[in-house]
């Protein structure tokens, strides 16, 4: 894996982002991030393997679909996102929120 420290990605609200086997760390060094998240590299390495298993670019729409599902179920992009769960929520610095009951979501979607 290649680590790119102090990357300039203003749209990114995360401690790091992995693209293929490159870990982008916005605005900080790896050492600085690891004082907060000591196993972040292990988390990002799992994402690198996920990229490989998805054969590259298909990872992107699959990840966003999983993040959307998580937003719907838990109100954040990680708690029910299978990619983040597999990489380790705690290692990535994500809290685990409880899932909302599906019946509640369907009732709200129905407008009542
Ligand atoms: Zn992650």
């Amino acid at each position: 894996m290649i680590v790119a420290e102090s990357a300039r990605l203003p749209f990114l609200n995360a401690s790091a982002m992995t693209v293929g086997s490159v870990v982008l760390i916005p605005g900080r060094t790896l050492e600085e991030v690891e004082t907060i998240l000591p196993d972040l590299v292990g988390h990002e390495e799992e994402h690198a393997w996920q990229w490989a298993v998805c054969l590259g670019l298909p990872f992107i729409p699959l990840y966003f679909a999983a993040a959307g599902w998580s937003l719907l179920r838990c109100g954040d992009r990680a708690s029910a996102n299978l990619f983040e769960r597999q990489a380790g929520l705690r290692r990535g610095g994500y809290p685990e929120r409880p899932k909302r009951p599906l019946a509640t979501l369907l009732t709200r979607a129905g407008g009542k």
Side-chain angles (χ1 to χ4, degrees):
M1 289 195 349
I2 297 167
V3 176
E5 298 177 320
S6 302
R8 294 186 184 190
L9 299 169
F11 60 88
L12 182 63
N13 182 21
S15 299
M17 175 182 174
T18 297
V19 179
S21 59
V22 178
V23 179
L24 304 168
I25 299 176
R28 293 188 280 189
T29 65
L30 177 60
E31 187 177 1
E32 290 169 338
V33 174
E34 283 185 326
T35 60
I36 303 164
L37 299 169
D39 200 15
L40 182 67
V41 171
H43 177 92
E44 298 305 327
E45 186 177 4
E46 290 296 327
H47 285 317
W49 280 109
Q50 292 165 353
W51 273 88
V53 168
C54 292
L55 304 176
L57 291 178
F59 175 83
I60 295 172
L62 293 171
Y63 182 90
F64 279 105
W69 172 251
S70 181
L71 268 174
L72 188 66
R73 288 306 311 274
C74 302
D76 68 32
R77 65 183 171 87
S79 293
N81 178 332
L82 68 92
F83 293 99
E84 293 299 349
R85 294 188 68 84
Q86 195 273 327
L89 290 174
R90 188 171 295 166
R91 295 193 313 170
Y94 296 108
E96 183 173 3
R97 292 189 184 169
K99 290 179 182 168
R100 303 171 186 165
L102 277 177
T104 304
L105 296 174
L106 294 173
T107 302
R108 287 183 184 163
K112 301 257 175 176

